[in-house]
Amino acid sequence: MTIRQLPDFAFRSASDYAAALEDLHARYDPVLGAGVVDVLERLSAFAIFRSVWFSAGLTVLVVSIVVCTLDRTPRMWRGVTEIRVDQPEPFFDPRLPDRAAMSEVPVENVRAILRRNGFRVRQATGVDGTRFLYGDRHQYTKMATLFTHAGLVTFLIAAAVTARLGEEQGLVVPEGSSLTVQPIGTPGLLLVKNLDFQAPGFKTGQASDFTTDLAVYQDGREIARKTIRVNDPLSVGGYTFHQNGFGPAPYLVVRDAEGKPLWDGAVPLTDAAAGSPYGIVGVPGRDLGLQLLLRRAADGTGVVLILPYRVVGTNPDGTPIAENFTALALAKGETGVARDLGLTVELRGVDEYTLLIAKRDPGQGLVWLAFGLLIAGITVTFYLPRRRVWTRMTPDGRLGIVWRSDRYIDVEREFGRLLDQLVAARRAT
Amino acid sequence: MFKMSEYSFIAGVISVGLALGCYVIAFVAARVMRQRTALAGVGTGGGTIGVDRRGGVNLGAYGTLLVYLALAFLTASLVFRTIATGHGPFANMYEFSIAFAWGTLAMYAYFERRYHERALGLVALPIALALLLYAMTIPATIDPLVPALQNNLLLSVHVAVAVVAYGTFSVAFAAAILYLVRGEDGRRGLPSRELLDEISYKAVVIGFPFLTLTIVLGAVWAEVAWGTYWSWDPKETASLVTWLIYGSYLHARVVRGWRGERAASLLLLGFAATLFTYFGNLFFGGLHSYSGLNNQ
């Protein structure tokens, strides 16, 4: 059994939170019991990524990675930079692993072969005339692990920046309608307008694509317009607008007994009830609401069931007590009259609303940087590992060779190839 | 093109089946030969199906040839399918199963060529064959891409990279299984434990960066498509768990010097996680429900 997390909208208001928690109770109470669900809720088990203990764990992880990395770095740097070229004789003992001995290879040939194989060569001469050549290939790549770890830390920091300073919200915009992105009064307020929405479908009824002709306005001026689709968002004004979903939005005109319009617009049916799209709209100027349920027929036509209601009280558990009135069933172009309420309701048609995700993410640059560091670090670490070769040539022409590399190098093949070249160089003399 | 893709696929399945048959017979023959030689009091020389040519016809070599043939057929199948659909052959469970099998065969062929050990094929080829047989049970119909997948570049790169990662993990799993089966005495005619340990490690070293890239590209794609890098859907979570297991394996090996049975067991766990990542969304749904099996 998985523990379902509370959706983002649950944190918009106390009532949304209570409603979402009610769903969790309905789901888990029969299995776990109400007490356990309450305890889990108090432990933030339904909102793990917003919990204090998760943030604390993340902080400990970041500190741990940073401290371990800082602890290792000086040792790694010494290992990379402090090189002893003139190793003692026992170091070259050919009975030890990854060692070889031969004779009669001129030192110039050894140097040339090492360079040809991509080694950076250093040399030293002993007091007895023994000559040492040291080859290092990809000397600094060991430090790439710092990139990997820095990438992990950057990634966690980016997540924290996004969580604390970022903003993400769903915008439900019926066709032809506008919506503000930030709260009214925000300087540089952005406003989006759904100019056109298209959702061509497959034969199965599933949408083959869905697009919104979206315009973005700031201070009354259009600053961007683009037809966005799932894989092609619009970025403007610090926000990115992603096409996320869509649904039906019946266009209603509600009038009072004198024919004065009280509501004239589309109502997005963002919820579902009994497997059908469902939504609620309040009637402006009246203490009434309308519940809307869309029933679609197989031929694509639909009937909207409209149930007027009035909230007359509150149950002990906080849920509203509603007084329901006579329901109306309207097809496109029809008008119904709720005589007991003095209202007429006209269904002009069933449009579509578009669901956009508006996102402002100050951590995005850090996320890309983290991804880059992570990939670069891992790639360099595993695909460009360090190889080192020590050679020791005594004045009487004996050559000792030692190979050192990480375990994932195919030593037999690479060292063997180097030895073949040295043997060939010996024969050439 | 669709028909050509189907014919190539069937030819690929037959080739893998025949290759596996060759390997099994060659392995059994080599074992029998070795037992007889041992009974006769002659040293066994440690031959495996990779080097034993005392059985007359070298079925192991034919098996390898058939592996290459299977790779060619499956490559052709995927190419024909790409031409027929107009996008990378990774859009549903049928296509991904063939691609996964292709990755397993390709990585097996690479390691066999590098280490001259056909014993790996005794485990790697059944994995590929099982994936192909599974693909045969899935409808091969070509359906238009759902909106979320309509990003040909990221679809192709993201899944192709995953195929390489999964293929290498199959080889690592094969080596780990052989390592555990072989035992200390090595009487089962399998490669040395050191070599199997080496192969599994190198396979993970190749596969791990590819898995990392798969996850990163997936996050990039999710950000473009849905406006969120990570949604903790079953496939994402499973891929992260897989990454952590293989990351732990590499860390344990490099930092703690893990070798032998502990490391091999971790690889079994890693491959179980890989398979869960591959199949998980069939059972748990989520954002990666593109298998094409939901409408059945």
Side-chain angles (χ1 to χ4, degrees):
Chain A
M1 189 181 71
T2 54
I3 297 178
R4 186 171 282 245
Q5 297 295 291
L6 287 163
D8 285 345
F9 73 80
F11 298 92
R12 288 186 308 206
S13 68
S15 58
D16 285 328
Y17 187 87
L21 197 59
E22 199 59 39
D23 287 343
L24 291 175
H25 271 291
R27 173 179 285 269
Y28 293 116
D29 281 359
V31 185
L32 302 173
V36 175
V37 172
D38 286 337
V39 169
L40 288 175
E41 193 265 331
R42 275 193 284 276
L43 291 173
S44 302
F46 300 119
I48 289 173
F49 307 113
R50 293 168 185 262
S51 68
V52 174
W53 58 263
F54 184 79
S55 298
L58 216 56
T59 307
V60 169
L61 180 63
V62 168
V63 171
S64 164
I65 294 173
V66 169
V67 169
C68 287
T69 306
L70 290 177
D71 180 56
R72 281 179 64 195
T73 301
R75 267 179 289 140
M76 280 172 48
W77 182 249
R78 282 197 299 275
V80 166
T81 55
E82 293 177 6
I83 296 158
R84 183 175 174 186
V85 176
D86 54 337
Q87 296 285 359
E89 189 173 357
F91 182 71
F92 294 89
D93 186 342
R95 290 168 298 184
L96 295 170
D98 302 331
R99 282 153 170 87
M102 58 183 77
S103 59
E104 304 302 329
V105 186
V107 69
E108 293 73 24
N109 289 12
V110 176
R111 184 186 292 113
I113 287 167
L114 286 175
R115 283 186 175 152
R116 201 162 61 227
N117 283 278
F119 288 91
R120 186 176 165 218
V121 180
R122 300 176 193 196
Q123 62 181 7
T125 306
V127 286
D128 61 348
T130 299
R131 298 184 69 177
F132 298 91
L133 286 182
Y134 167 78
D136 211 327
R137 187 169 158 201
H138 303 147
Q139 180 180 355
Y140 294 99
T141 54
K142 201 88 182 161
M143 302 302 290
T145 187
L146 293 181
F147 286 112
T148 310
H149 288 83
L152 285 174
V153 171
T154 308
F155 187 74
L156 295 171
I157 292 171
V161 169
T162 300
R164 299 292 170 200
L165 306 176
E167 192 186 321
E168 183 179 327
Q169 59 177 312
L171 300 176
V172 175
V173 195
E175 215 169 340
S177 299
S178 304
L179 204 64
T180 55
V181 178
Q182 307 105 312
I184 302 289
T186 304
L189 179 73
L190 294 177
L191 183 138
V192 292
K193 184 168 187 182
N194 175 0
L195 298 170
D196 183 37
F197 178 81
Q198 299 290 332
F202 297 130
K203 286 176 187 169
T204 58
Q206 193 181 7
S208 60
D209 196 5
F210 41 106
T211 64
T212 303
D213 183 0
L214 187 71
V216 181
Y217 301 89
Q218 190 171 40
D219 301 326
R221 188 171 53 85
E222 182 182 290
I223 57 170
R225 181 176 173 179
K226 180 180 177 181
T227 300
I228 64 168
R229 45 176 35 93
V230 173
N231 275 293
D232 190 14
L234 165 65
S235 293
V236 63
Y239 281 82
T240 302
F241 299 94
H242 297 267
Q243 177 71 70
N244 190 271
F246 66 95
Y251 194 103
L252 299 181
V253 179
V254 182
R255 292 188 174 87
D256 62 13
E258 286 79 43
K260 184 178 151 197
L262 301 173
W263 170 271
D264 185 347
V267 182
L269 304 186
T270 53
D271 294 316
S276 295
Y278 168 83
I280 292 176
V281 61
V283 180
R286 304 285 290 271
D287 58 347
L288 290 171
L290 302 177
Q291 296 185 67
L292 278 62
L293 189 76
L294 175 64
R295 296 275 193 205
R296 281 194 199 277
D299 61 358
T301 59
V303 171
V304 179
L305 301 175
I306 301 170
L307 180 65
Y309 71 96
R310 175 184 287 133
V311 175
V312 292
T314 308
N315 287 312
D317 63 358
T319 55
I321 301 169
E323 178 191 3
N324 292 325
F325 300 94
T326 309
L328 305 169
L330 303 178
K332 180 183 176 184
E334 291 182 344
T335 301
V337 181
R339 298 190 192 286
D340 47 352
L341 298 170
L343 292 178
T344 60
V345 182
E346 179 190 356
L347 176 67
R348 290 210 171 150
V350 179
D351 299 336
E352 304 277 4
Y353 73 81
T354 187
L355 173 60
L356 309 174
I357 298 294
K359 189 174 173 185
R360 190 174 61 80
D361 184 5
Q364 192 178 51
L366 286 173
V367 171
W368 299 137
L369 178 66
F371 282 164
L373 287 168
L374 203 61
I375 290 291
I378 288 175
T379 305
V380 171
T381 299
F382 288 121
Y383 295 155
L384 295 174
R386 188 182 187 190
R387 290 111 161 144
R388 313 166 78 182
V389 174
W390 282 267
T391 66
R392 175 179 184 273
M393 279 145 289
T394 57
D396 61 354
R398 281 180 296 125
L399 174 65
I401 310 142
V402 177
W403 176 279
R404 276 274 183 278
S405 60
D406 287 315
R407 269 196 50 76
Y408 41 88
I409 300 288
D410 192 341
V411 174
E412 203 172 302
R413 189 171 61 88
E414 290 198 21
F415 192 31
R417 196 167 54 200
L418 186 76
L419 293 180
D420 287 346
Q421 292 173 22
L422 289 170
V423 169
R426 184 186 61 176
R427 286 181 185 144
T429 58
Chain B
M1 282 300 160
F2 176 75
K3 281 287 173 199
M4 295 286 281
S5 167
E6 290 293 284
Y7 294 146
S8 306
F9 167 58
I10 297 296
V13 177
I14 294 169
S15 302
V16 175
L18 289 175
L20 180 60
C22 287
Y23 281 176
V24 170
I25 295 169
F27 178 72
V28 172
R31 255 192 102 177
V32 170
M33 185 79 72
R34 200 165 19 253
Q35 280 167 352
R36 284 182 186 162
T37 313
L39 283 172
V42 181
T44 62
T48 71
I49 58 171
V51 294
D52 198 327
R53 288 181 173 77
R54 287 168 290 184
V57 177
N58 187 358
L59 274 175
Y62 284 112
T64 300
L65 202 62
L66 283 163
V67 167
Y68 289 125
L69 204 60
L71 260 176
F73 280 131
L74 292 182
T75 306
S77 174
L78 293 171
V79 169
F80 289 137
R81 182 98 184 168
T82 302
I83 296 168
T85 59
H87 56 74
F90 312 117
N92 55 37
M93 209 61 177
Y94 171 80
E95 294 173 355
F96 191 38
S97 297
I98 300 175
F100 188 172
W102 182 91
T104 301
L105 283 179
M107 286 301 125
Y108 164 71
Y110 170 76
F111 278 91
E112 195 221 279
R113 192 176 169 79
R114 192 162 177 131
Y115 290 94
H116 309 291
E117 274 304 342
R118 295 191 179 109
L120 286 172
L122 293 171
V123 181
L125 262 55
I127 294 171
L129 188 60
L131 288 164
L132 294 172
L133 292 176
Y134 172 63
M136 288 179 83
T137 67
I138 301 173
T141 48
I142 295 174
D143 295 318
L145 288 178
V146 297
L149 293 184
Q150 291 170 10
N151 189 327
N152 211 353
L153 177 67
L154 277 170
L155 169 68
S156 301
V157 179
H158 170 58
V159 189
V161 168
V163 164
V164 177
Y166 288 11
T168 55
F169 294 155
S170 299
V171 172
F173 171 75
I177 284 278
L178 294 180
Y179 183 99
L180 294 171
V181 167
R182 186 185 186 279
E184 289 292 346
D185 53 13
R187 285 181 188 163
R188 293 191 170 92
L190 294 170
S192 73
R193 281 192 137 188
E194 289 70 27
L195 183 62
L196 291 168
D197 191 60
E198 183 87 4
I199 289 172
S200 54
Y201 180 60
K202 285 187 177 165
V204 176
V205 161
I206 292 173
F208 187 70
F210 276 92
L211 180 63
T212 310
L213 196 56
T214 303
I215 294 173
V216 167
L217 287 172
V220 169
W221 191 0
E223 166 64 16
V224 171
W226 300 315
T228 177
Y229 304 102
W230 198 261
S231 304
W232 295 103
D233 95 307
K235 199 156 189 115
E236 289 175 354
T237 309
S239 67
L240 179 64
V241 170
T242 306
W243 188 83
L244 288 171
I245 292 172
Y246 284 110
S248 305
Y249 167 81
L250 291 173
H251 249 86
R253 209 180 152 100
V254 173
V255 180
R256 298 280 171 201
W258 271 35
R259 297 282 187 283
E261 292 188 1
R262 279 193 304 181
S265 304
L266 206 50
L267 289 178
L268 301 195
L269 185 67
F271 193 64
T274 303
L275 290 180
F276 186 80
T277 308
Y278 171 69
F279 285 114
N281 56 300
L282 288 184
F283 306 110
F284 296 97
L287 297 168
H288 285 80
S289 301
Y290 310 125
S291 64
L293 307 179
N294 303 333
N295 299 326
Q296 287 184 80

